[in-house]
Amino acid sequence: MNMDDKSLETLALIKAQTAGVTSGTGIVGVDLGDLVSLIPVNTPFLNSVPRKTATDGAKFAQWRVLTNINNLQADPGTAFDYAAPLALLNELDVSAPYGKLGYGYTVTRDAINFAKGYADAHAIAVMNAMNQYKIGADRKLLHGQVFALPTPAAPTTSTATTGGTVAAATYLIKAAARTGSNFNYGGSTVASAQGSQVTTGATSTLTATVPAIPGAVAYDWYVNGFYNTTTTVNKIVWTSTPAGSNQPVPNIPGIYGVAPTSVPVADSSAKATDFNGLLATLAGDYATGGATGLVTRGSGTNSGASFTSLDGAAFTGSGQSVNELDALNSTLFNNIQASPTRYLLSSQEANSISKLLLANAGGGTTFLTPSSDGRNNITAGGYIGSYINKAAGGVPVPLVVQPNLAPGTLIAVSDSGAPFAGANISNVFEMRQLDDVQDYQYATNRNAGVAGGGPRNDGEVFSTSALINRAPVGCAVISNIAAN
């Protein structure tokens, strides 16, 4: 049959099936719009840490530190004809365990064929795994932790007879602490011993507090044997009667979405598959000999980092000052005679600082441009991008928002070894790589009898890394900060 005959046959078929061409005939085009990805990939801490490939294979990255014992030195005043006293020196062996970070992907040959001409299915699978790797790496660089947190002490409880609707009853309360890694991916310490509080009437409030644990970013609360909620401060106030069943996790940015189903009796705050991230390098102690990396705080040699807990209070201001930042800066200057180079904080704390300073009398100044726009097209609002360190002589310290840092925590870091004479520090922070991030593709695979079984291409994006923090003494943490 020639083409003319085929065209006549087609026209006859259309004529037999419809009386005219309308929108309902199906003669329409296919608008292949863009493939849109709505996955936020914002990883500023990962992007800020230099990467260096290890020259030798090992389970740990290791180095040695000479620590500050200036306050223990002998008086240098020396009598004539006498030898001067020997300068004391204290050396520590430090190590950081390597950990593997990665996400896998699978793409079938059929998926590649069906996407032909529209998208590269294999490239999309790799890109998605890479994006998730970057998010995970940023979280682990901030929050990863190999050693366990201490178990919280029993909650201290109190009640008031007004201000709420808590029913009269006896409430048995326990708390468990979360590392940043637990905050992102689940788990906690063992639950604390039990606190008990009796309330009366029907208009009561119920309050519980546990002593702050350095390195913890959140606390799970259990009432009468049920998971009630998680807070990013070490204090909670109930104004309504706690539910008599397990509750869903609260809406906190970055928190793991699966709620605990029972009171934890085994520790899962230590994650053997992690490496120690920034917060862990500050909260952990150096182990004796250094061969096992960092250990639970209180069981080794202190890292030198400073920790302050606001215990559920918000930042306070005085004129153009944030009192808590001034105190942190003074502590660091007393330790290292220098200023931190940046504050790492969540958007909650960034908003709190801006609101506090710009709301205070004299805290902010409005400038109007001479043009007409300066009067009728004013840009409202303000953001504090840097804070002056008065203790260090007026050094401005940038506020750097970290989307993967748990709310309620601020970390001041010093990226320079300049305060330490002969420091031999090229990078204070370094992502040491045994195996730099790569797309590792396995051989073409199959699994008969199941959907997605193949033929398929499997792979994963991964790295084998450790975070090096050569000077934790130059860092300080404010935790358990409530929003302003």
Side-chain angles (χ1 to χ4, degrees):
M1 179 182 292
N2 61 35
M3 291 303 296
D4 290 338
D5 291 336
K6 293 189 73 166
S7 298
L8 289 172
E9 182 179 340
T10 302
L11 289 171
L13 182 61
I14 292 174
K15 184 176 180 181
Q17 292 179 339
T18 183
V21 178
T22 68
S23 61
T25 61
I27 304 176
V28 296
V30 178
D31 182 6
L32 288 176
D34 295 332
L35 180 64
V36 178
S37 174
L38 299 178
I39 302 171
V41 184
N42 187 7
T43 56
F45 191 64
L46 171 66
N47 298 342
S48 73
V49 178
R51 307 165 80 93
K52 183 176 180 179
T53 301
T55 56
D56 300 301
K59 290 186 176 181
F60 296 85
Q62 294 181 290
W63 64 102
R64 291 179 170 83
V65 177
L66 301 181
T67 61
N68 176 18
I69 52 172
N70 291 347
N71 294 339
L72 301 178
Q73 299 294 344
D75 187 335
T78 305
F80 292 111
D81 298 326
Y82 280 76
L86 291 175
L88 300 179
L89 181 147
N90 189 54
E91 182 264 336
L92 285 176
D93 294 337
V94 185
S95 61
Y98 285 103
K100 180 179 175 181
L101 298 174
Y103 281 102
Y105 62 86
T106 290
V107 58
T108 66
R109 188 65 190 174
D110 291 333
I112 293 172
N113 289 335
F114 288 151
K116 191 180 297 182
Y118 175 58
D120 186 332
H122 184 271
I124 290 171
V126 175
M127 180 190 73
N128 181 64
M130 174 59 79
N131 287 342
Q132 292 303 321
Y133 165 85
K134 292 176 67 178
I135 296 168
D138 196 70
R139 287 177 169 181
K140 292 297 187 183
L141 281 169
L142 289 166
H143 288 159
Q145 186 160 320
V146 177
F147 58 91
L149 287 176
T151 301
T156 301
T157 63
S158 62
T159 185
T161 56
T162 60
T165 59
V166 176
T170 298
Y171 295 95
L172 306 178
I173 302 169
K174 293 185 176 184
R178 294 196 189 204
T179 66
S181 192
N182 295 147
F183 181 78
N184 292 138
Y185 300 107
S188 71
T189 63
V190 175
S192 67
Q194 186 169 273
S196 177
Q197 182 64 54
V198 176
T199 63
T200 58
T203 58
S204 297
T205 61
L206 177 63
T207 300
T209 305
V210 293
I213 296 177
V217 302
Y219 296 83
D220 295 337
W221 299 95
Y222 298 86
V223 182
N224 296 336
F226 297 105
Y227 168 74
N228 184 262
T229 193
T230 299
T231 61
T232 57
V233 298
N234 57 330
K235 178 181 179 180
I236 184 169
V237 178
W238 287 277
T239 57
S240 59
T241 303
S245 60
N246 289 322
Q247 298 299 296
V249 295
N251 184 21
I252 303 174
I255 193 170
Y256 184 58
V258 179
T261 57
S262 61
V263 179
V265 294
D267 182 86
S268 55
S269 64
K271 291 183 178 287
T273 55
D274 276 4
F275 57 77
N276 288 317
L278 173 61
L279 196 53
T281 66
L282 309 180
D285 283 352
Y286 294 132
T288 303
T292 58
L294 298 174
V295 294
T296 301
R297 193 175 182 88
S299 60
T301 302
N302 191 279
S303 72
S306 302
F307 278 83
T308 302
S309 172
L310 300 192
D311 293 338
F315 286 128
T316 58
S318 176
Q320 295 187 14
S321 297
V322 178
N323 298 324
E324 293 74 19
L325 289 183
D326 286 349
L328 176 150
N329 291 335
S330 293
T331 297
L332 269 181
F333 190 80
N334 290 337
N335 285 345
I336 64 171
Q337 288 79 56
S339 173
T341 52
R342 51 184 169 144
Y343 303 120
L344 309 181
L345 68 174
S346 75
S347 61
Q348 173 181 289
E349 279 59 64
N351 285 332
S352 291
I353 291 171
S354 292
K355 287 170 62 178
L356 179 64
L357 291 179
L358 297 178
N360 281 345
T365 304
T366 301
F367 296 94
L368 300 179
T369 59
S371 67
S372 60
D373 281 353
R375 293 289 178 180
N376 59 20
N377 192 22
I378 298 172
T379 299
Y383 175 73
I384 305 299
S386 296
Y387 186 77
I388 296 298
N389 183 348
K390 294 180 274 295
V395 178
V397 184
L399 278 66
V400 185
V401 173
Q402 303 292 319
N404 292 312
L405 181 63
T409 299
L410 179 148
I411 307 174
V413 298
S414 300
D415 295 290
S416 171
F420 312 110
N424 194 32
I425 295 176
S426 53
N427 300 313
V428 172
F429 302 104
E430 189 174 277
M431 193 171 180
R432 186 71 62 84
Q433 304 285 79
L434 264 185
D435 206 350
D436 207 349
V437 59
Q438 61 175 292
D439 170 24
Y440 186 89
Q441 297 186 30
Y442 296 93
T444 302
N445 200 358
R446 65 184 293 274
N447 185 9
V450 298
R456 69 183 190 215
N457 295 107
D458 295 332
E460 58 184 73
V461 175
F462 74 91
S463 68
T464 304
S465 312
L467 176 66
I468 306 298
N469 180 357
R470 293 184 171 91
V473 69
C475 302
V477 180
I478 305 176
S479 62
N480 300 302
I481 310 166
N484 279 80

